Amino acid sequence: MLLLYTMKNPSFPEYVFSSESGIMCLDFHNDHPYLVAVGFYDGNVAIYNLKKATYQPSYKSSAKSGKHTEPVWQVKWQKDDMDNNLNFFSVSSDGRIVSWTLVKNELVHTDVIKLSVEGTTMQGPEGLQLQMLGCGTSFDFHKKIDYLFLVGTEEGRIYKCSKCYSSQFLDVFEAHHMAVDSVSWNPYHLKVFISCSSDWTVKIWDHTIKAPMFVYDLNSAVGDVAWSPYSSTVFAAVTTDGKAHVFDLNINKYEALCTQLVVAKKKNKITHIQFNHVYPVVIIGDERGHVISLKLSPNLHRMPKEKKGQEVKKGPEVEIAKLEKLLNLVREPESKAGK
């Protein structure tokens, strides 16, 4: 089921769409916010159009049109293709990253990459060697370099991939000991990304360096992590023990500014967290189907204070410099020299 709410009326949804299979993920189109791409538990993907007075998806994949064979864990809209056709990507446990393009009212698929795991071949019937595929769990596309994207896997690896190469990876990070639950690029700094895992850790990386820059152990499996849209050094994570953690590296590099119990522990886990891009609000989703909205206290989204007669510098350059300064403290001397 797909439900869409407004913050003005959190007790009842504005839109209700039922589906034959469980919906695992969704993404709103940036330029056409009435279009919602979704991924299903049965491996299908679909597009819902909120402008149309129908409860069915406007477009949906099928077994014939290249649907995934395992649950779809994430979908993301991309820029329209060269023919101005709508286009989104999906990642699934079946190890395929698929590009879906809307051509003449039909979803056309292209396999962008298959997550083959090196050195893992399985003995098939009659002595056939079968290549094992990694299970994709999450992905994110670079904000500026259009072809570059990251894929997190159930095996704990993070693959740096290009849309241009379908058979090889640009790099492989041995990132975590358990499944990577989320991976995302920093909205300001072009080299930095963050990952979280069921191995209890959140790690911050420079994609040109194989070792993590910062590692945080949160004492419980981390379900999701998200960068804040207003600061390059603020991020929030949620753990399966029902807690939300908010960090600001600029204030404290070692521990969270705030750790708060959001859901009662008994048989309930938090699965997702997202920042609002305009207001100081986060929404948190749990395993029971509840969505909780929380307002960040002023000290969690504090802006630089204006000094008398001085103008406070703001903007992306300031945010990039702020994070770069912190990274320089932990970079190896030889990697600094290479910058």
Side-chain angles (χ1 to χ4, degrees), residues 27-32 35-37 45-47 59 75-90 97-103 106-112 139 141 146 163:
D27 192 30
F28 285 93
H29 197 289
N30 264 350
D31 302 325
H32 312 291
L35 292 177
V36 186
V45 294
I47 299 173
Y59 314 99
V75 288
K76 284 219 179 216
W77 287 102
Q78 289 296 286
K79 287 177 188 168
D80 294 357
D81 71 4
M82 291 161 100
D83 299 321
N84 292 326
N85 293 317
L86 293 168
N87 168 245
F88 69 92
F89 279 60
S90 61
I97 311 295
V98 180
S99 168
W100 301 89
T101 308
L102 192 58
V103 183
E106 196 183 338
L107 280 176
V108 177
H109 86 287
T110 309
D111 280 17
V112 179
F139 65 170
F141 291 86
D146 188 51
K163 292 179 187 175

Side-chain angles (χ1 to χ4, degrees), residues 143 184-190 192-194 227 231-233 323:
K143 309 290 184 274
S184 69
W185 292 101
N186 187 280
Y188 294 97
H189 199 295
L190 299 182
V192 177
F193 69 90
I194 197 166
W227 291 107
S231 170
S232 64
T233 56
L323 186 50

Side-chain angles (χ1 to χ4, degrees), residues 85-151:
N85 293 317
L86 293 168
N87 168 245
F88 69 92
F89 279 60
S90 61
V91 63
S92 162
S93 303
D94 66 3
R96 291 161 62 220
I97 311 295
V98 180
S99 168
W100 301 89
T101 308
L102 192 58
V103 183
K104 294 178 181 172
N105 291 336
E106 196 183 338
L107 280 176
V108 177
H109 86 287
T110 309
D111 280 17
V112 179
I113 206 159
K114 281 190 171 77
L115 300 172
S116 55
V117 181
E118 272 183 38
T120 53
T121 50
M122 194 172 69
Q123 196 76 21
E126 296 178 16
L128 281 173
Q129 292 293 306
L130 301 176
Q131 179 69 49
M132 293 282 284
L133 291 180
C135 300
T137 54
S138 55
F139 65 170
D140 195 27
F141 291 86
H142 199 277
K143 309 290 184 274
K144 289 280 192 293
I145 306 167
D146 188 51
Y147 63 82
L148 191 62
F149 65 98
L150 298 165
V151 184

Side-chain angles (χ1 to χ4, degrees), residues 155-175:
E155 297 78 44
R157 291 189 182 92
I158 295 172
Y159 295 94
K160 186 164 76 173
C161 308
S162 167
K163 292 179 187 175
C164 309
Y165 304 113
S166 60
S167 58
Q168 66 186 76
F169 312 114
L170 301 178
D171 216 338
V172 182
F173 298 87
E174 297 292 340

